[in-house]
Amino acid sequence: MAFCSLIRTFANKIGNTVELLKKIIYPEDLRKLTVDELPELCRELREDIVKELSVNPGHLASSLGAIEITVALHYVYDTPHDRIVWDVGHQAYGHKILTGRREQFCTNRKLGGLRPFPCPTESEYDTFMCGHASNSISAALGMAVAAAKEERSEGQPERKVVAVIGDGAMSGGLAYEGLNNVSSSDNDILIVLNDNNMSIDRAVGGMQEYLLSLNTNETYNALRFKLTRWLHRIGLLEDDRRRGLIRLTNALKSAISHQQNVFEGMDIRYFGPFNGHDVKELVRILRQLKEMKGPKLLHLHTQKGHGYAPAEKDVTVWHAPGRFDAETGQRLVKDTENIPPRFQDVFGETLLELAQQNPKIIGVTPAMPTGCSMNIMMKEMPDRTFDVGIAEGHAVTFSGGMAKEGLLPFCNIYSAFAQRAYDNIIHDVAILKLNVVLCLDRAGLVGEDGPTHHGAFDMAALRPIPNLTIASPMDERELRRLMYTAQLPDKGPFVIRYPRGRGSQVDWHCPFEEIPIGKGRCLRQGDDVAVISIGPVGASVAAAIDELSTSHPSPIVSVAHYDLRFLKPLDEELLHEIGRKFKKIVTVEDGVRNGGMGSAVLEWMSEHGYQPVVRRLGLPDVFVEHGKVKELQTIVGIDQESIQKAILTI
């Protein structure tokens, strides 16, 4: 808290004061303001977020674009009794500040501090988990159904439920499953579509084009709204008649305007589009919609990064810009010369090289071309790269369809997001043994984004699936070699998992070389203990063993190090060698222990008659919270010191 106070004191010295914002601890304080004061509050809230994030980085542009929506919703609705579901959660920094967490906001994304996304365990104002996209409509509908069934005490108002869906989340399939159910259920849910034409990169797809062109007459909506309220008040518009009237007026409007509104075609009342940055107008509209019966969708046009010029000019960069000078907008970018590259950039450069050699290679990404560095190939070969929007399941099945007809897709998905495509991997790729290369970026611990984003489960989840090859490179050169191997003829479904962040080699651009499938390697000979690792955590293992070997005149223990490389198929020749020679084995991985690489080694040893003592290091059976990667590695016990301790104690 002392650190927070220092930051806030410094921030106030370099800019305008936040007189209104200082008075607001909870939304009940916000509701004491007049409507005319709300634009000033929005300015102060936007300024406060810019100053805070300039020194404690996070998701900037999305939250700036949702300021007026946030203020208007908390002003009109009785939160936390009324529910607001955010989708996705990186729009919600303003929400956090207005709901009792302004003084703690400087701890956002830090170990032990505020969580990176809304979470009910942190605040009663956070109604649902909001780390991934497209779940708000389904969750909000569930809450609305529960609210309709709850027994209310005398005088307690009916609970209202609002879903705020934006930043491209409407392109996710789950959103449409939710809409379909909303249209067929009795509910009064309000869906606020925060349409900023963005996810992280520029949003793509037919739905985005539809939203850009959609234009429904505001005067017509206002007249129809007044008419329906009057008919309901005099008893002529009970529920069945209301639904029939909605269908009739929707049909007439479509015929007159020559435009079909997909939402009203599902019997969901549509309002908009309106300016999402006019907070006073938003309050007026929300007050009208609050008591309206039946499902409603309010379509708002907003600008990602609104109110901060640098973020408005380059919203992709300013989605999460790192540290920057709040006054000048200059990003404080570290000098990356002569340091190892990011794994994602090695992937992007290597993919382009391979595509230049192999005309069958296609790039596919669900809304993350910059995040995974597929934008490198996209710039040079736009006709051979596809950004499919926030649609991981579709990305995999789309890749499977291309592979079925002879192409070779490299489908890059963040590990945690690939969880949404699990059935597609099995049903649409693995069963037919199609040549799809599934590159899982952000595997392992990702740091400040926390439990919704850690790539913890991919190895344990994918290991039981037949026909898959699963590999994890220890360094950048191994990544290049595995990518080259995966695109060779008839390799079948090939999974390559690699971490967020930088590797260990400055000179990474090695010649292409095939790695035999299922072949590991011995990196260091030893006699007492065998350490088996997979993936980049092997660098920590190597450093731990080096330090043990030099910490005394004679080594405390003679340690061998094996890089397994492949989780599936396992290198049985290598495991036989280890089983015959060693009675003590330590396995190290950056995924969950349960069902992961260590479990695979244990199972194999048991099935082949070996009985070593095996100590498995990996992520425990809990959701690991947020913090810097090195901090989290220490907590879960896969840092260098923990590896040394395991070697010595076994």
Side-chain angles (χ1 to χ4, degrees):
M1 289 299 295
F3 176 69
C4 292
S5 298
L6 287 172
I7 289 180
R8 195 166 298 285
T9 299
F10 172 73
N12 285 334
K13 286 181 179 179
I14 65 172
N16 295 323
T17 57
V18 285
E19 295 301 324
L20 288 179
L21 188 57
K22 287 192 295 186
K23 300 175 183 178
I24 296 170
I25 299 177
Y26 291 103
E28 61 189 42
D29 304 311
L30 164 64
R31 292 189 278 271
K32 296 174 184 176
L33 300 179
T34 66
V35 172
D36 289 336
E37 290 178 297
L38 298 184
E40 170 61 19
L41 175 65
C42 291
R43 186 200 64 76
E44 293 181 10
L45 183 56
R46 186 170 275 114
E47 179 184 290
D48 197 56
I49 290 175
V50 169
K51 289 176 180 177
E52 291 284 0
L53 267 64
S54 69
V55 293
N56 183 29
H59 294 105
L60 178 68
S62 297
S63 286
L64 295 184
I67 292 296
E68 286 78 12
I69 296 174
T70 304
V71 170
L73 284 171
H74 280 296
Y75 192 76
V76 172
Y77 286 86
D78 182 23
T79 54
H81 175 73
D82 292 335
R83 308 299 198 209
I84 300 175
V85 184
W86 293 94
D87 183 5
V88 280
H90 56 229
Q91 302 174 96
Y93 284 173
H95 159 81
K96 287 194 172 217
I97 290 171
L98 294 176
T99 53
R101 288 167 279 184
R102 182 171 180 250
E103 292 302 319
Q104 294 80 38
F105 190 66
C106 61
T107 69
N108 188 49
R109 296 166 56 86
K110 293 182 178 179
L111 183 67
L114 293 182
R115 294 168 181 262
F117 305 102
C119 180
T121 59
E122 180 175 286
S123 171
E124 62 179 336
Y125 291 90
D126 296 353
T127 59
F128 209 70
M129 184 62 70
C130 305
H132 292 182
S134 310
N135 67 341
S136 60
I137 297 174
S138 298
L141 178 59
M143 294 176 186
V145 170
K149 295 183 179 299
E150 72 181 0
E151 294 184 6
R152 292 189 296 275
S153 60
E154 186 175 351
Q156 184 182 19
E158 180 183 355
R159 173 171 286 136
K160 308 296 182 181
V161 182
V162 181
V164 183
I165 182 167
D167 266 24
M170 190 61 91
S171 67
L174 182 60
Y176 294 94
E177 296 179 33
L179 281 173
N180 182 62
N181 200 191
V182 164
S183 68
S184 61
S185 304
D186 288 329
N187 65 86
D188 299 325
I189 186 176
L190 172 63
I191 301 166
V192 177
L193 174 56
N194 178 17
D195 177 10
N196 61 9
N197 192 30
M198 292 292 296
S199 47
I200 293 176
D201 289 278
R202 183 69 60 182
V204 296
M207 173 51 66
Q208 192 59 39
E209 294 303 315
Y210 175 80
L211 292 176
L212 285 171
S213 65
L214 189 61
N215 187 14
T216 300
N217 188 276
E218 183 178 351
T219 302
Y220 165 83
N221 271 324
L223 288 173
R224 189 171 80 167
F225 173 60
K226 291 178 181 178
L227 176 62
T228 54
R229 291 195 68 178
W230 178 71
L231 290 172
H232 184 78
R233 189 165 56 248
I234 65 176
L236 295 180
L237 195 62
E238 42 80 33
D239 284 346
D240 287 340
R241 287 180 179 176
R242 178 182 60 80
R243 283 191 287 267
L245 181 62
I246 288 173
R247 286 192 291 272
L248 175 61
T249 55
N250 288 346
L252 289 173
K253 186 169 64 175
S254 297
I256 293 169
S257 66
H258 303 288
Q259 182 182 49
Q260 175 63 52
N261 185 319
V262 66
F263 305 111
E264 293 191 329
M266 302 174 76
D267 292 340
I268 298 172
R269 288 290 309 278
Y270 171 90
F271 298 90
F274 297 106
N275 178 5
H277 296 304
D278 187 341
V279 67
K280 294 165 70 173
E281 180 68 1
L282 289 182
V283 167
R284 183 191 68 80
I285 295 168
L286 289 171
R287 281 174 169 168
Q288 290 182 344
L289 298 181
K290 183 178 179 181
E291 302 304 326
M292 184 182 292
K293 296 297 181 182
K296 306 159 288 290
L297 185 139
L298 175 59
H299 182 186
L300 302 176
H301 278 313
T302 62
Q303 180 185 29
K304 193 169 180 177
H306 183 76
Y308 188 58
E312 292 178 351
K313 292 177 182 177
D314 194 343
V315 289
T316 298
V317 168
W318 286 84
H319 173 76
R323 288 184 173 84
F324 60 95
D325 186 310
E327 293 296 304
T328 66
Q330 182 177 356
R331 295 175 62 222
L332 307 179
V333 181
K334 295 180 180 179
D335 183 7
T336 59
E337 191 174 354
N338 297 321
I339 64 173
R342 299 180 300 176
F343 272 91
Q344 69 179 67
D345 293 333
V346 174
F347 162 82
E349 297 284 357
T350 301
L351 180 63
L352 177 59
E353 286 183 62
L354 292 171
Q356 290 167 339
Q357 299 176 17
N358 186 343
K360 292 183 177 182
I361 289 178
I362 301 292
V364 178
T365 174
M368 301 302 295
T370 303
C372 74
S373 294
M374 195 175 286
N375 60 327
I376 296 172
M377 178 180 172
M378 190 172 285
K379 180 180 178 181
E380 299 295 326
M381 300 179 175
D383 59 326
R384 289 171 61 184
T385 51
F386 296 88
D387 178 355
V388 301
I390 301 177
E392 288 81 8
H394 165 67
V396 171
T397 302
F398 173 53
S399 298
M402 288 191 287
K404 176 64 171 59
E405 299 303 315
L407 296 177
L408 183 56
F410 274 70
C411 181
N412 190 302
I413 306 178
Y414 287 9
S415 171
F417 299 162
Q419 293 160 188
R420 296 198 288 248
Y422 191 64
D423 179 63
N424 308 79
I425 294 170
I426 296 172
H427 185 274
D428 301 332
V429 172
I431 290 177
L432 290 178
K433 204 174 182 180
L434 296 174
N435 295 323
V436 173
V437 184
L438 184 62
C439 297
L440 300 184
D441 197 340
R442 269 64 167 177
L445 296 169
V446 299
E448 292 87 347
D449 281 340
T452 58
H453 284 58
H454 293 315
F457 306 106
D458 50 53
M459 288 193 288
L462 297 177
R463 186 166 72 90
I465 301 175
N467 293 339
L468 291 188
T469 295
I470 305 172
S472 186
M474 182 172 163
D475 55 43
E476 303 93 314
R477 293 182 178 182
E478 285 286 287
L479 174 57
R480 283 176 57 80
R481 294 177 182 126
L482 284 170
M483 290 177 65
Y484 173 76
T485 301
Q487 56 88 53
L488 294 174
D490 302 320
K491 295 301 182 183
F494 203 115
V495 179
I496 305 175
R497 67 184 302 272
Y498 54 91
R500 179 186 186 188
R502 299 190 179 276
S504 57
Q505 298 179 335
V506 177
D507 183 18
W508 58 272
H509 202 278
C510 61
F512 289 130
E513 177 184 345
E514 180 179 3
I515 296 177
I517 300 296
K519 190 66 176 176
R521 54 183 181 166
C522 179
L523 299 177
R524 186 188 187 103
Q525 296 287 348
D527 299 314
D528 300 323
V529 178
V531 181
I532 305 174
S533 65
I534 189 167
V537 73
S540 297
V541 172
I545 296 173
D546 284 342
E547 185 173 298
L548 281 179
S549 67
T550 58
S551 59
H552 291 269
S554 59
I556 300 173
V557 61
S558 177
V559 184
H561 182 198
Y562 296 88
D563 173 24
L564 200 56
R565 267 191 184 140
F566 291 89
L567 178 66
K568 189 172 187 174
L570 292 170
D571 187 340
E572 298 203 32
E573 181 180 349
L574 191 70
L575 291 177
H576 273 300
E577 174 187 321
I578 296 170
R580 285 192 294 264
K581 184 174 182 181
F582 296 95
K583 298 298 182 183
K584 297 176 181 180
I585 298 172
V586 176
T587 65
V588 188
E589 58 195 303
D590 60 356
V592 292
R593 284 197 302 264
N594 292 346
M597 182 270 287
S599 295
V601 170
L602 262 176
E603 293 165 11
W604 190 93
M605 291 289 173
S606 176
E607 290 169 0
H608 290 81
Y610 299 108
Q611 296 181 323
V613 176
V614 179
R615 174 79 179 276
R616 295 176 300 147
L617 302 186
L619 307 190
D621 189 25
V622 298
F623 288 104
V624 180
E625 293 298 336
H626 59 283
K628 295 185 182 301
V629 171
K630 288 188 176 181
E631 293 174 331
L632 300 180
Q633 287 176 336
T634 300
I635 290 171
V636 302
I638 58 172
D639 62 310
Q640 185 173 325
E641 184 177 344
S642 298
I643 294 167
Q644 290 176 341
K645 183 178 179 181
I647 292 170
L648 295 175
T649 56
I650 196 172

